[in-house]
Amino acid sequence: MERYETDILVIGSGLAGCAAALSAARQGVQVMVLTKDVQVEESNTWYAQGGIIYRGKFDAPEILAGDIIAAGAGLCSPEAVGLLSREGPRLVQQLLIEDLGVPFDLADDDSGALDLTAEAAHSVARIAHRKDTTGRSIEASLVEALRQDPKVTILTGRTAIDLLTLSHHSREPKDVYPPPTCAGAHVFNQATHRVETFMAKQTVLAAGGLGRIFLHTSNPPIARGDGIAMAYRAGARCINMQYVQFHPTTLYDGDERFLISESMRGEGARLIDTHGREFMQDYHPEGSLAPRDIVARGIHQMMHKTGAPCAYLDIRHKPADWIRTRFPRIHAKCLEVGIDITERPIPVVPAAHYSCGGVAVDAWGRSSLHRLWAVGEVSCTGVHGANRLASTSLLECLLWGTRAGEAASNAVKQDRHYLPDINLWKYETEPVDPALVAQDWLTIRHTMWNYVGLVRSTKRLDRAHQILRELHLEIDRFYAKAELSDSIIGLRNGIQTALVVLLAAREARESRGCHYRVD
Ligand code: FAD
Ligand code: SIN
């Protein structure tokens, strides 16, 4: 078994992981970044469309904080929101614009100012974007900066299996460290098929979200809840897991869902039903620009009432050239399925999009486990409460990633570290039948979609509990002997995270934000 040692181990290379790695490296410590995909950029971040919050014309931190708290249905942490509202836009200016030169779109008026767009539940236009592919511009700039930094090693095709906790894995007497302490991770190398041990003085978990545990999602395949499952098994405190946000508008075409950015509604697109009627006014005075949870449920209810298979998003009031320039990716994707959005409304349905809950952390990303930090979508900073305001996620990844990188490197310098021997990976394995894995995933994704989805009830949650608990036992049984692969590791994490969401949803009897119970 290969063993590596580093000051800081970062698990995940989306915006949160990259920001943490960059800020730690700039403090002079050694950083290793692991990601399970062979492409370092592959992440939810890469697909982000609408943008990142900056500063609007008549904006102020208090106005932004007010919008975040209103969207969060009263469950946001005022301290976390205040921090994000004050520090976030400043960091966009310093790090993304001045330091890394992310090419955000500029206004048409030759002033050199950014072109700021609006999104639902924002009281001013304050969102910086690069057309409808903001995520890839930010991610590419950060990855480039990491590649140039001699303190950073990036390793791709590495799937973290479990966090190492000294109370579980160490061969040393249990009193060497006060448990629970994190000391790195066991990692599956997809090229060699071997398990590697990464010992780290500090570990930053940045493994992203969980959209893929639902049948329909805007998320790419990497988002299967690995981070939550690893943290939960290690004993880190996870909170607010019932608040899974469903994005109101994804392209209705087959089983895969492609996001149709909320910034399209920010630019004036209207949600209509099959008869061309603007139905969202029935549910909220802000209509198509109401908070996300309300719009997603409004679409669901309209479909339920009328039997329609989808709603429609109509942007045809804008000139065709403007649409093609402002939303090139969405325009091209819709054309692929035969819809020219300059001529026809887009068929849309809600899909699982974002986990508002996660590993509970403080203002520096510190988790309840000693030496474990969590940043980005896998974490819960308290910013989003019961429902996230559009375009706050990228900002939170940037700010908490940067802060955690700094705090973890300070801890490397101050703390007395000792990396003990770890129990060897022991396994007698047998091959796994891929049909079992595929069917188990279908069960998880259908169960979560139908019973733990946009609309929940005691009966649905109880039924889901029966199904998932049974499946969890079964998967654990065959995992214990399974020949390791990224796919079997993912299945074990998928069922674990699905159960964590389900258990939180069963406990939470009050409808609030994204968690809506008919009973
Ligand atoms: P990610 O970017 O998802 O990165 C997770 C990383 O962890 C990846 O590198 C992945 O490979 C790695 N990983 C996962 N499991 C393992 C494992 N077991 N071992 C090793 N590595 C692992 N938010 C906004 O603010 N504005 C937007 O415009 C916006 N648009 C969006 C559009 C889409 C289509 C989607 C899906 C999301 C959007 N969001 C947006 C949300 C936002 O993009 C994400 O919440 C954010 O990018 C999450 O960043 P992250 O770094 O936490 O995780
Ligand atoms: C979008 O572009 O609609 C996504 C924005 C977000 O998730 O914050």
Side-chain angles (χ1 to χ4, degrees):
M1 191 164 77
E2 272 133 282
R3 176 182 155 120
Y4 299 89
E5 289 186 7
T6 181
D7 289 335
I8 296 188
L9 177 68
V10 178
I11 302 173
S13 58
L15 172 53
C18 288
L22 191 64
S23 102
R26 287 180 171 182
Q27 302 285 323
V29 299
Q30 289 295 339
V31 182
M32 279 188 177
V33 181
L34 300 181
T35 179
K36 73 186 200 60
D37 206 85
V38 288
Q39 295 288 342
V40 63
E41 295 88 355
E42 183 63 14
S43 57
N44 272 9
T45 302
W46 184 253
Y47 299 94
Q49 295 184 356
I52 185 166
I53 288 175
Y54 185 56
R55 263 188 305 261
K57 205 165 176 194
F58 300 107
D59 208 357
E62 300 72 39
I63 303 178
L64 171 58
D67 289 351
I68 295 173
I69 287 171
L75 263 202
C76 304
S77 144
E79 292 77 23
V81 173
L83 183 65
L84 186 82
S85 309
R86 282 190 313 275
E87 301 295 327
R90 198 151 48 205
L91 197 57
V92 173
Q93 175 68 34
Q94 284 166 359
L95 184 64
L96 297 188
I97 299 176
E98 291 169 15
D99 187 342
L100 301 180
V102 175
F104 291 116
D105 285 356
L106 300 180
D108 286 340
D109 58 10
D110 293 334
S111 64
L114 294 185
D115 178 44
L116 298 175
T117 193
E119 281 179 325
H122 283 273
S123 53
V124 299
R126 57 162 74 97
I127 295 153
H129 66 96
R130 171 71 180 170
K131 302 193 183 296
D132 57 358
T133 52
T134 310
R136 64 179 69 184
S137 295
I138 296 176
E139 176 75 11
S141 304
L142 272 159
V143 168
E144 183 54 31
L146 290 183
R147 286 197 170 118
Q148 311 237 338
D149 196 312
K151 293 281 183 193
V152 178
T153 309
I154 303 178
L155 298 167
T156 58
R158 304 296 218 289
T159 310
I161 304 168
D162 265 316
L163 295 171
L164 294 171
T165 47
L166 298 184
S167 44
H168 290 130
H169 299 95
S170 169
R171 281 197 266 153
E172 310 293 325
K174 300 292 179 227
D175 57 1
V176 172
Y177 278 109
T181 297
C182 180
H186 271 142
V187 174
F188 176 69
N189 181 329
Q190 295 167 25
T192 62
H193 294 258
R194 292 162 67 134
V195 175
E196 301 166 337
T197 303
F198 284 78
M199 301 298 302
K201 295 176 182 168
Q202 303 288 332
T203 303
V204 180
L205 187 62
L210 50 68
R212 284 274 156 174
I213 63 173
F214 290 87
L215 183 60
H216 299 300
T217 177
S218 64
N219 293 189
I222 56 100
R224 55 189 191 188
D226 283 25
I228 285 292
M230 286 188 280
Y232 184 83
R233 281 195 295 268
R237 182 166 173 249
C238 300
I239 58 170
N240 284 5
M241 292 304 302
Q242 66 272 32
Y243 299 117
V244 176
Q245 181 173 69
F246 290 77
H247 197 291
T249 57
T250 63
L251 180 63
Y252 176 56
D253 174 63
D255 271 351
E256 285 297 309
R257 296 284 179 257
F258 176 82
L259 190 83
I260 307 295
S261 177
E262 193 157 289
S263 53
M264 210 175 241
R265 274 175 287 138
E267 301 284 0
R270 299 167 317 133
L271 275 167
I272 53 176
D273 64 15
T274 22
H275 305 292
R277 195 176 83 83
E278 272 191 71
F279 60 90
M280 267 313 300
Q281 297 295 344
D282 301 348
Y283 301 101
H284 197 277
E286 297 288 335
S288 296
L289 286 175
R292 232 174 234 186
D293 55 331
I294 294 168
V295 181
R297 270 197 305 278
I299 295 176
H300 179 86
Q301 282 168 22
M302 180 280 286
M303 286 163 56
H304 191 68
K305 257 198 247 164
T306 63
C310 62
Y312 293 88
L313 189 63
D314 193 352
I315 182 91
R316 290 174 300 167
H317 66 289
K318 289 281 194 185
D321 277 351
W322 183 92
I323 297 174
R324 283 190 283 264
T325 309
R326 174 66 181 83
F327 296 109
R329 178 91 186 90
I330 295 175
H331 178 259
K333 177 69 191 182
C334 291
L335 267 189
E336 274 173 31
V337 301
I339 298 162
D340 183 345
I341 66 172
T342 64
E343 290 174 3
R344 278 173 56 193
I346 311 167
V348 290
V349 283
H353 182 60
Y354 181 84
S355 171
C356 299
V359 180
V361 295
D362 69 7
W364 293 94
R366 190 182 283 107
S367 80
S368 65
L369 221 62
H370 194 45
R371 296 186 185 158
L372 178 70
W373 311 73
V375 290
E377 194 168 336
V378 75
S379 71
C380 183
T381 60
V383 163
H384 308 303
N387 174 54
R388 177 173 69 89
L389 180 70
S391 288
T392 47
S393 175
L394 294 180
L395 193 67
E396 182 193 51
C397 289
L398 182 71
L399 182 63
W400 259 264
T402 302
R403 287 171 70 87
E406 193 186 318
S409 44
N410 285 339
V412 166
K413 291 173 194 164
Q414 285 160 13
D415 217 352
R416 186 186 65 88
H417 286 91
Y418 157 71
L419 298 178
D421 273 351
I422 283 295
N423 286 330
L424 287 179
W425 189 260
K426 35 91 219 163
Y427 258 128
E428 280 178 27
T429 60
E430 36 188 68
V432 178
D433 180 351
L436 295 182
V437 178
Q439 179 55 41
D440 287 351
W441 263 120
L442 282 179
T443 305
I444 296 169
R445 299 183 75 197
H446 278 274
T447 306
M448 291 302 286
W449 182 256
N450 290 319
Y451 299 152
V452 200
L454 204 47
V455 173
R456 298 165 176 173
S457 70
T458 304
K459 281 195 178 133
R460 290 180 189 188
L461 295 171
D462 285 351
R463 175 66 66 85
H465 191 224
Q466 260 173 12
I467 298 169
L468 295 182
R469 200 177 41 183
E470 192 62 32
L471 189 62
H472 185 218
L473 291 175
E474 190 51 39
I475 290 173
D476 253 8
R477 252 196 303 271
F478 82 73
Y479 174 83
K481 288 198 168 172
E483 204 167 87
L484 273 191
S485 63
D486 175 66
S487 124
I488 192 75
I489 295 166
L491 178 64
R492 176 185 181 229
N493 290 331
I495 185 70
Q496 179 67 77
T497 298
L499 263 176
V500 172
V501 173
L502 167 68
L503 293 177
R506 283 183 96 209
E507 286 292 315
R509 282 155 199 277
E510 175 199 47
S511 287
R512 194 186 269 264
C514 320
H515 175 60
Y516 182 72
R517 292 182 66 145
V518 282
D519 51 359

